[in-house]
Amino acid sequence: MSATITTVEPPPAPAPRSRKLWPRLVRPAAALLSGAMLYASFPPRPLWWLVLPGFALLGWVLSARRARAALGLGLLAGLGFMLPLLHWTGEEVGPVPWLALALAEALFIAVGCIGIAAVSRLPYWPFWAAAVWTLDEALRARVPFGGFPWGKIAFGQADSAFLPLAALGGTPLLTFAVVLCGFGLLEAARQVRRHRTGTVPRSAVVAAAVTVAVPVAAALAALPLVDDSPEDGTATVAAIQGNVPRLGLDFNSQRRAVLDNHAKRTEQLAEDVKAGKVPQPDFVLWPENSSDLDPYRNADARDVIDRAVQAIGAPTVIGAVLTPDTGPLRNTLIQWDPESGPVGTYDKRHIQPFGEYMPMRSVARIFSKDVDRVQRDFGPGSKVGVFDLAGTKVGLVTCYEAAFDDAVRDTVKHGGQLIAVPSNNATFGRSEMTYQQLAMSQVRAVEHGRSVVVPVTSGVSAVIRPDGTIVEKTKMFTPDALVDEVPLRSSLTPATRLGPLPEGVLALLAVAGLGWATARSVRARKDGKAGPSSAPAAP
C-alpha cells in the first residue's frame, strides 16, 4: 500500500497595493486634466485649441460609464475647469464664496456628464453628446437666480478659427461645434486604432470623419458673415478710463475720487482735442460706477459731470448709482447732453446675485461676513437700452450683462448700430476676470456684426471691430482715454435674426438623444442585458 502525496501550491502573492490603485486613478486624473485643459483654453492665454483635446479626453473618461461614475468623474472635470476659471470671485471676499460658486457650477457640469455618458452608447454619439453639453450650458445660464453663463465654451473662442459660427447661430452653435469637434477627435482616434486591429465598418469611419470635418467646414463657410464694413458710415467714439484710488471692495468708499478721476480724464481729453492731438469725438462713454454719487440728488456730483461733459462738447454716457427715497437702488447709465444735462437713462436689467443683490441673505451670511456690504439691494430695469448719441444708435449692455445672450441681442434688434459695454472690474484686482469679460465682447462683436466699445473704470478698456479684432486697449489701473473711428452697421446677422432658435433646436436634439439612450437602456434590461457596454456603439 503506497501513500499519495499531494503538493499544495502556495497562493499567489498579492499584487502591490500601488499596482491595484493606479488603474482606478487613471480616469479620475484624466477627468481633472480635461477640466484643466478647458480652463487653459480661456483668455488671457492664446490657447483656444486646447479645448479640443480637452473634450476628447473628457469623452474618453465618460464613455459608457454608469450614472454614478459619470457624476463623480464629471464633478472632477467641472472642478478642474471652474475652480481656476472663477478664482477671481474670491479676490476680495476670501475663498469660501469662490469655492461655493465653483462647486455649484461644477455640479451642473457633473449632471451634464451623466447625460454625455448615457448618449455615449448611441450611434453617432458625438452629436448627441455635444448637444447635451450645450443644453447643460443653457440651463446654467438661467438657473438659479437668473443663471450664471460664465464659462460658456464659446467665450473661450474669441481668437478661434471657429469664431465665425457665432454670426451664424450665436454662442450656442459656437459651443456645439467646438464640443462636437473635440468629441469627434476621440471617435476618429478610436476608428484609426480599430482599423489597425481589424476591419472597421465604413459607416463608422464616415461618422468619425464627419464629426470633425463638419464643424471646421461650417466655420469656413460662415466666414463671409464676418464683415466690418461701415454700412452706416463711421462714428468717432471716446472711452474714458479714469482709474480708481485703490483696488478691492473699498474703492466704493472713494466714490468722489472715482468721479473726479473720470471727470479729470475727460477734461484732459478735451484739451488734447483743442491741441489737435486727437480728433473730436462724436460721443463719449464712461464706465459703469464712474459716478457712484447720485447726480440727481447730489449737486456737487452733477456740477462735476456737467463741467466735464461741457468741456468735451459731446453727449456722454455716465455710469451712476441712483438712490431713490424708497425701493431698490439702480445701476444706471445716464445719457448726458452738454447743453441739456441728463436726458435719458438705462437701468441694468441682469443684476448680479450676491453682488448687487443678496438672495437668501441669512444663509449667505454663514459663508461670508461680506454679505452685509450689500446693505441695500439693487433692482433690475425692464427696458432695453439704446441711446441716440449724435445720430448714432448705441446699444447699452452693462458689465455682467455681456454674458447673457438676450441682453446683447435685444440692443441690436432695437436698432443699435454699435454696442457699448460699460464695466467696473476694480473689485477683482488684476485677476483674469477682465480678460474673460473682454473676450465675451469680442464674441458678441462677431455674433451681431457690431463694433463694441468697452469703457472700464480700471481696465482693460478696449475698442473692438465687428470682426472681433481689438484695435485699441488700455493697461490695467492706468488713467487713459481711447479715441477711435468705428464702423457703424445696421444689418442683422443670422444669429441676431434667429435669436434663441439655434439653442432651442440643440436642446431638443439633446432631449431626443437622452430619450433614445433611456429607451435603449430600458429595453436592454427587459432583454436581460443590463449593464454598460465596453465601448460606445458603432454607427
Side-chain angles (χ1 to χ4, degrees), residues 236-261:
T236 301
V237 58
I240 302 298
Q241 178 174 301
N243 203 15
V244 298
R246 58 174 177 259
L247 311 189
L249 294 172
D250 289 334
F251 92 93
N252 286 300
S253 65
Q254 302 288 318
R255 293 178 296 173
R256 179 56 189 265
V258 174
L259 171 58
D260 288 344
N261 284 354

Side-chain angles (χ1 to χ4, degrees), residues 502-513:
E503 186 175 56
V505 170
L506 292 170
L508 288 175
L509 182 64
V511 171

Side-chain angles (χ1 to χ4, degrees), residues 381-406:
S382 58
K383 295 182 180 179
V384 178
V386 178
F387 287 167
D388 187 331
L389 302 176
T392 298
K393 297 291 184 65
V394 178
L396 304 168
V397 181
T398 307
C399 196
Y400 180 63
E401 292 185 309
F404 292 86
D405 293 345
D406 63 322

Side-chain angles (χ1 to χ4, degrees), residues 34-226:
S34 68
M37 293 173 77
L38 299 187
Y39 157 70
S41 71
F42 274 68
R45 290 159 295 279
L47 303 175
W48 62 266
W49 50 270
L50 273 179
V51 73
L52 300 177
F55 273 106
L57 186 59
L58 182 63
W60 175 80
V61 165
L62 298 173
S63 290
R65 296 296 96 187
R66 293 183 183 272
R68 183 183 298 179
L71 178 67
L73 293 168
L75 181 61
L76 289 174
L79 290 172
F81 180 21
M82 288 295 173
L83 276 173
L85 186 77
L86 302 179
H87 183 263
W88 52 267
T89 60
E91 186 77 15
E92 293 295 330
V93 295
V96 175
W98 157 52
L99 295 174
L101 178 60
L103 177 60
E105 296 301 296
L107 284 171
F108 269 100
I109 292 174
V111 172
C113 286
I114 296 176
I116 292 173
V119 300
S120 70
R121 304 182 182 96
L122 297 178
Y124 310 105
W125 71 272
F127 287 98
W128 308 111
V132 169
W133 182 277
T134 308
L135 172 61
D136 190 67
E137 282 194 348
L139 294 174
R140 280 201 296 120
R142 289 169 172 81
V143 293
F145 312 120
F148 188 72
W150 224 275
K152 270 190 173 184
I153 294 303
F155 294 149
Q157 300 296 297
D159 299 315
S160 163
F162 294 97
L163 182 59
L165 288 170
L168 182 61
T171 59
L173 182 63
L174 179 54
T175 288
F176 174 78
V178 171
V179 179
L180 173 61
C181 193
F183 287 148
L185 286 175
L186 170 64
E187 187 61 21
R190 281 176 171 160
Q191 298 307 329
V192 169
R193 183 179 179 185
R194 288 169 183 166
H195 178 71
R196 291 176 178 175
T197 58
T199 304
V200 180
R202 181 176 297 178
S203 60
V205 175
V206 170
V210 165
T211 55
V212 176
V214 164
V216 175
L220 292 173
L223 271 173
L225 298 175
V226 182

